[in-house]
Amino acid sequence: MPAKFIIVTGGVLSGLGKGIAAASIGHLLSSKLKIIPIKCDGYLNVDPGTMNPYEHGEVFVLDDGGEVDMDFGHYERFLDVTCKSKWNLTMGKVFDMVRQKERKGDYLGKTVQYIPHVTDIIKNHILEIALEESADLVIIEIGGTVGDIENELFLEAMRQMKEDAGRENTAYVHLTYVPIPYGVNEQKSKPTQQSVNLLKQRGIFPDIIIGRCSEFLKKDVKTKISNFCDVESDAVITGLDVDDIYEIPFIFEEEGLPDILHKNLNIYSPPDMRKWKQLINNLRNPQKEITVAMCGKYTKLEDSYASIIESFNHCSAHLRCKINLKWVETTDLGDTSFLDDVDGVVVPGGFGSRGTEGKIEIIRAARERDIPFLGLCLGLHMAVIEFARNVCHLEGANSTEMDSDTPHPVIDILPEQKDIKEKGGTMRLGAYPAVLKKGSVLHSLYKTDEASERHRHRYEVNPEYHRIITENGMVFSGISPDGRLVEFIELPDHKYFVATQAHPELKSRMESPAPLFYGFINACLD
Ligand code: GLN
């Protein structure tokens, strides 16, 4: 059977949650179908790996080492798939492919043009993935908002897709915004009408419209949108504002989205939402409450830590506790008195020296005061530096990332990184296994002898300092199979003091929270 395609576009505003909408549609259909998510981003970077988190939110890392859009986090969590780097198509990648083909002579004698050459590259890439993965359904999310110059070529390619994939195999979903202006107190459909007009000018006629709104869309508003936009009124769906994103599939189900998709694409895959229902119910009815300090430097934009926040949600659902996050901007840190009001401390990943001394001070206090601590990547570096300075008495110990002249480079650049000049896609990226030490906290959490987590870094614990650090009591509880790289550390005789070189938050799922987060929250609850 040929693959079916659902193409998700957005209008009116950015940030309406297209990725979550696409992932939720997938979740509703995932019980019987093999679903592959694809995201098209209009920017000219090859991937988001070189962008500041403030520009683009979290950089999500895949098993295969791909640095991709943060929407892949939603896809993996909602669809329970392991995504591939190839499924994130940026205009930077597209132009790279066109240029390579042109230089090879594939277009010999021709003028290379946006249509058909660029649009063909886009379509072929998508069709190739569908074939390679034997997909039943491909959900393609087009980044940005209709009317943006950047996504025009993707939209044109998607217009053409209905011919290539077959009209009966293609459905267009458009996400818009239905405001209720203050004082008017009425759901307004005009922005949706205008946005759909923009889409129609590009030859795309939506089959389903999702209107993001703070209330369920009223019947008359659905009828109006249906009349003006040429969709059936059943096919106008509310995208309700919700407190947690895991509720969206339930809203879509209630609004009849699976039936409409069945009608459009002839795909029947009744959703089995029982397990999620139970977990979401736990999330909504916590029995305990704790506060965790997140000590980072991108704390002004929660999107920079999206997967960490989701990992906490997963723990909340399993442990029936509300987790309040206290955002601590370590750059501004003067004292550690805030620790009196928190149950645990997380130091997440990061780059560069800004805020690192503040983090080291916080970790020292957490260690000395027996406050649960979880360190992620840079968080592990900071914990090792703190231990080296204050327990091993290695004065001035640091990472060469922060101080190239440190007398004790306890954290140093990976040897294979030393000669790398190019910045894009050259870190130690993707999934790597670690051998776990029997009897450690880590081993009891993973319940296996080997664990695989995803990485994104250039620096490591310097092997020259392994001996002095372990002799002073820090346990290297997970190491690379060749014994060279320290992937996990912990301190015995502490309530919970665990850090990892990896980013376990990237693999946490609603059904199976990341073990390190689960152990941490359990310790905070103690
Ligand atoms: N900046 C550190 C490194 O490159 C840590 C990276 C991270 O936290 N992801 O090794």
Side-chain angles (χ1 to χ4, degrees):
M1 217 180 59
K4 314 260 178 185
F5 296 84
I6 295 178
I7 295 156
V8 182
T9 56
V12 186
L13 293 181
S14 60
L16 288 177
K18 238 183 307 110
I20 292 165
S24 299
I25 294 171
H27 185 82
L28 285 174
L29 299 169
S30 59
S31 69
K32 290 212 167 60
L33 302 176
K34 177 157 190 208
I35 304 180
I36 302 299
I38 293 180
K39 169 97 196 266
C40 298
D41 280 305
Y43 51 74
L44 295 177
N45 304 58
V46 169
D47 59 43
T50 52
M51 289 187 215
N52 185 313
Y54 280 135
E55 287 275 325
H56 203 261
E58 169 185 78
V59 176
F60 198 77
V61 182
L62 302 173
D63 269 1
D64 69 7
E67 294 173 287
V68 293
D69 185 85
M70 62 182 286
D71 277 336
F72 279 89
H74 304 310
Y75 302 152
E76 288 204 338
R77 291 185 282 262
F78 278 56
L79 298 174
D80 203 20
V81 284
T82 299
C83 294
K84 296 185 183 161
S85 165
K86 187 174 177 180
W87 305 354
N88 192 183
L89 187 57
T90 64
M91 206 40 90
K93 278 187 195 168
V94 172
F95 284 168
D96 242 13
M97 289 189 252
V98 175
R99 210 194 71 90
Q100 276 171 27
K101 275 173 80 74
E102 191 273 336
R103 290 291 84 182
K104 248 171 59 196
D106 287 2
Y107 302 117
L108 228 46
K110 294 210 181 73
T111 308
V112 184
Q113 294 179 302
Y114 288 135
I115 305 169
H117 303 109
V118 176
T119 47
D120 276 355
I121 292 265
I122 297 169
K123 285 188 299 177
N124 291 341
H125 187 85
I126 291 172
L127 293 166
E128 194 177 283
I129 293 171
L131 210 64
E132 273 169 13
E133 303 295 336
S134 314
D136 299 313
L137 174 66
V138 180
I139 299 182
I140 307 162
E141 180 196 344
I142 307 298
T145 310
V146 57
D148 297 346
I149 284 188
E150 280 87 354
N151 63 19
E152 292 290 2
L153 289 167
F154 283 125
L155 288 176
E156 169 55 20
M158 292 307 101
R159 182 192 70 78
Q160 297 172 19
M161 271 296 278
K162 63 178 178 292
E163 292 306 330
D164 294 62
R167 281 168 198 264
E168 68 290 359
N169 295 324
T170 317
Y172 295 96
V173 178
H174 190 55
L175 175 70
T176 71
Y177 180 52
V178 178
I180 306 175
Y182 180 75
V184 180
N185 292 339
E186 205 183 296
Q187 299 176 355
K188 288 296 190 186
S189 66
K190 189 78 79 192
T192 299
Q193 294 173 38
Q194 288 175 337
S195 170
V196 170
N197 277 341
L198 281 178
L199 201 60
K200 284 181 175 171
Q201 283 166 20
R202 285 154 183 82
I204 295 178
F205 295 78
D207 300 290
I208 294 167
I209 293 173
I210 301 176
R212 171 87 187 255
C213 188
S214 55
E215 307 173 334
F216 275 99
L217 297 182
K218 302 219 161 80
K219 196 154 188 309
D220 62 318
V221 174
K222 287 193 174 183
T223 310
K224 203 163 175 186
I225 293 176
S226 151
N227 287 340
F228 280 95
C229 303
D230 293 320
V231 295
E232 288 177 36
S233 107
D234 290 358
V236 182
I237 305 283
T238 310
L240 193 69
D241 293 351
V242 287
D243 286 335
D244 71 74
I245 55 174
Y246 296 94
E247 293 185 35
I248 300 282
F250 296 94
I251 308 280
F252 285 178
E253 189 192 23
E254 200 178 319
E255 289 276 291
L257 191 58
D259 295 337
I260 301 293
L261 285 166
H262 177 46
K263 215 154 92 188
N264 270 286
L265 291 174
N266 197 18
I267 36 175
Y268 191 59
S269 179
D272 179 2
M273 319 259 281
R274 277 166 305 182
K275 209 163 169 199
W276 265 37
K277 215 162 243 168
Q278 177 62 45
L279 290 165
I280 307 291
N281 200 33
N282 290 353
L283 206 58
R284 284 206 204 108
N285 301 295
Q287 291 171 336
K288 293 152 273 183
E289 188 167 344
I290 54 165
T291 301
V292 168
M294 274 281 287
C295 306
K297 72 170 177 182
Y298 306 112
T299 54
K300 286 192 183 71
L301 182 73
E302 292 190 10
D303 267 0
S304 343
Y305 300 114
S307 294
I308 297 181
I309 295 174
E310 291 316 323
S311 305
F312 284 136
N313 279 330
H314 304 158
C315 293
S316 287
H318 285 261
L319 293 165
R320 298 201 76 162
C321 70
K322 182 168 191 296
I323 302 170
N324 302 309
L325 294 181
K326 182 179 172 62
W327 298 95
V328 180
E329 177 76 33
T330 45
T331 325
D332 309 323
L333 198 88
D335 70 313
T336 54
S337 57
F338 72 91
L339 289 172
D340 294 343
D341 307 318
V342 302
D343 301 286
V345 172
V346 176
V347 175
F351 293 82
S353 60
R354 183 165 70 87
T356 48
E357 288 303 317
K359 291 187 177 100
I360 292 169
E361 268 317 293
I362 294 169
I363 296 171
R364 176 183 193 158
R367 179 177 58 78
E368 290 177 350
R369 293 171 54 182
D370 205 19
I371 299 171
F373 162 75
L374 174 61
L376 306 167
C377 203
L378 184 76
L380 175 139
H381 295 176
M382 298 295 108
V384 169
I385 293 168
E386 189 280 317
F387 192 81
R389 287 184 192 175
N390 301 318
V391 179
C392 309
H393 306 293
L394 298 170
E395 209 178 308
N398 213 331
S399 161
T400 50
E401 182 182 6
M402 320 305 162
D403 174 7
S404 49
D405 297 326
T406 169
H408 294 294
V410 289
I411 306 294
D412 198 9
I413 193 149
L414 289 152
E416 58 270 34
Q417 286 283 330
K418 277 198 174 123
D419 297 322
I420 291 176
K421 296 275 177 303
E422 278 192 15
K423 292 279 183 244
T426 55
M427 283 188 240
R428 178 174 180 243
L429 290 165
Y432 287 93
V435 179
L436 312 186
K437 198 183 180 98
K438 290 208 173 69
S440 64
V441 171
L442 195 70
H443 194 270
S444 71
L445 288 170
Y446 277 93
K447 300 184 178 72
T448 51
D449 296 340
E450 203 176 278
S452 167
E453 295 289 2
R454 297 175 183 172
H455 292 67
R456 181 172 189 253
H457 65 113
R458 292 189 202 278
Y459 293 80
E460 59 159 338
V461 182
N462 186 343
E464 285 177 24
Y465 288 86
H466 284 188
R467 222 180 85 199
I468 183 163
I469 293 169
T470 48
E471 278 175 1
N472 277 278
M474 183 171 268
V475 175
F476 293 163
S477 47
I479 50 170
S480 59
D482 65 4
R484 188 174 70 89
L485 296 172
V486 178
E487 307 283 34
F488 295 87
I489 61 156
E490 61 188 64
L491 289 182
D493 307 322
H494 192 283
K495 213 183 254 169
Y496 190 89
F497 192 103
V498 178
T500 173
Q501 186 62 80
H503 290 278
E505 68 272 21
L506 300 174
K507 288 203 342 190
S508 187
R509 304 270 165 98
M510 186 50 108
E511 300 81 350
S512 49
L516 243 53
F517 282 76
Y518 189 85
F520 170 70
I521 296 298
N522 239 337
C524 293
L525 282 166
D526 226 359

